Amino acid sequence: MVANPPSADDTSPARRSPARRPTMKDIARRAGVSESAVSFALNDRPGVSEITRNRVRRVAEQLGWRPSTAARALSGEGAATVGLVVARPAGTLGVDSFFLQLISGIQEVLSERHLGLLFQVVEDVDAECAVYRRWWAEHRVDGVLVVDPRTDDPRAALLDELGLPGVVIGGVPEGGHPGLSTVWADDAGAMASVVGRLHALGHRRIVHIAGLPGLAHTERRIRSLRAEAERLGLTEARSVTTDYSDAEGAAVTRGVLTDEAPPTALVYDNDVMAVAGIAAATGLGYAVPDDVSIVAWEDSALCRLVEPWLAALSRDTVSFGRSAARELTALLDGGPARTVQVPVPELIERESIGPVRSGG
């Protein structure tokens, strides 16, 4: 059976052809010059007069021409893209407000410079290093943003070897890496301020429910808790590491609260675990903050969507991301490596923190 031809009153929309990108040939035709002259003019190379250069650029702007990032990479002129690899369990990232805000700040700066962001989640640091090697070999990125610095971290040396500029976010200042800048916050100082405040409220049994072991900021917070506990004579302060997930946050909370001498204060390394901790504590019959005070690291909307509202360490994470992206673009522009410290997170006291009950 042969299909009937469309009738004259058929109003179905016609199929549109995809828009064609303007090419150097189009510019050459419009400007009345050769394609090689267009290439010289647009790549700022000698071989054409200033009058021709200006005419070619004006025509390119009128046509809406933009350079191909693939062609730029092949010619060694850069990919107009920066990379970000996260080596964490993928399931823990979807509800992590820190990374969402950090990437928002990064993207603000990159969009101003018309730079793309290539993002990938991998299993571990070895896989992350493999990604860097592949990106470098394929000219995929001009530089990288490195998160979650480790205590024994191979990435700085690898980036040095590859000659790939980078910014370490959350690291501590280190020398010997001329192509790497660092943007960091004083986690140890923030932990000391939290422990000092809880001590002032009468708390002596404090448990820090920490994030992933081996991360530099996790270890700094653990060391700071130990140092402050020793200074203040707190013999029952300790840290327990987790994978940052709500499931492990809740499980550890139930574990420590059913100890023979349960803590009177809990400090969580992110907001997700702290929210899960409130649910776990109330499920065991604990009242917050009458029986146990709770503090979250990283303030977010989650902290104000639970009852009671969560006390939290607050910082401008979007600004943190902007700072990191600016440092990377400065490196790409040929600037020197720098170390930039952002403000120490500030404790916002809300209803989940209070004085310890007598005998607590």
Side-chain angles (χ1 to χ4, degrees), residues 38-317:
V38 171
S39 177
F40 291 152
L42 293 178
N43 290 301
D44 205 21
R45 292 173 178 160
V48 294
S49 69
E50 200 60 31
I51 292 174
T52 299
R53 192 184 307 279
N54 290 336
R55 181 164 77 252
V56 167
R57 288 175 174 173
R58 186 166 58 250
V59 170
E61 184 66 28
Q62 291 168 353
L63 293 176
W65 178 87
R66 293 292 181 270
S68 162
T69 55
R72 283 166 58 89
L74 288 172
S75 64
E77 294 176 1
T81 301
V82 302
L84 172 61
V85 183
V86 178
R88 281 198 191 184
T92 67
L93 292 176
V95 291
D96 193 320
S97 63
F98 173 80
F99 274 108
L100 294 175
Q101 294 178 59
L102 184 77
I103 291 173
S104 295
I106 290 169
Q107 192 60 46
E108 277 186 35
V109 173
L110 297 185
S111 62
E112 292 170 2
R113 294 284 299 263
H114 305 291
L115 293 171
L117 178 65
L118 186 56
F119 179 73
Q120 191 161 340
V121 179
V122 296
E123 294 275 330
D124 52 35
V125 170
D126 287 342
E128 182 176 344
C129 289
V131 170
Y132 292 149
R133 290 186 182 278
R134 185 173 71 252
W135 283 352
W136 171 80
E138 296 173 355
H139 303 277
R140 296 289 298 277
V141 298
D142 298 323
V144 295
L145 295 155
V146 180
V147 295
D148 288 342
R150 267 66 174 177
T151 52
D152 184 16
D153 202 321
R155 292 174 294 177
L158 173 62
L159 296 176
D160 279 347
E161 174 193 329
L162 299 177
L164 198 57
V167 173
V168 179
I169 301 173
V172 293
E174 289 185 7
H177 301 292
L180 290 181
S181 288
T182 300
V183 179
W184 72 294
D186 185 4
D187 294 284
M191 176 61 83
S193 71
V194 172
V195 175
R197 181 57 182 146
L198 291 172
H199 180 266
L201 290 170
H203 295 278
R204 301 295 180 264
R205 297 195 299 274
I206 302 170
V207 171
H208 167 215
I209 300 181
L212 289 164
L215 297 186
H217 65 262
T218 301
E219 300 304 323
R220 287 199 299 271
R221 295 173 192 179
I222 290 173
R223 287 196 302 269
S224 180
L225 176 71
R226 289 173 181 163
E228 286 303 296
E230 183 176 349
R231 187 179 70 84
L232 297 170
L234 305 178
T235 59
E236 297 180 80
R238 60 192 176 100
S239 298
V240 182
T241 56
T242 70
D243 65 357
Y244 280 114
S245 70
D246 56 334
E248 285 206 9
V252 172
T253 301
R254 286 190 288 268
V256 298
L257 289 180
T258 52
D259 283 348
E260 186 176 340
T264 63
L266 299 170
V267 181
Y268 294 83
D269 261 5
N270 69 11
D271 51 350
V272 173
M273 291 197 297
V275 169
I278 281 189
T282 55
L284 292 173
Y286 281 77
V288 179
D290 291 345
D291 299 321
V292 62
S293 285
I294 291 181
V295 178
W297 212 291
E298 305 300 343
D299 192 18
S300 72
L302 273 180
C303 297
R304 300 180 297 280
L305 292 175
V306 292
E307 183 63 36
W309 282 16
L310 274 166
L313 282 156
S314 177
R315 61 176 160 188
D316 189 344
T317 307

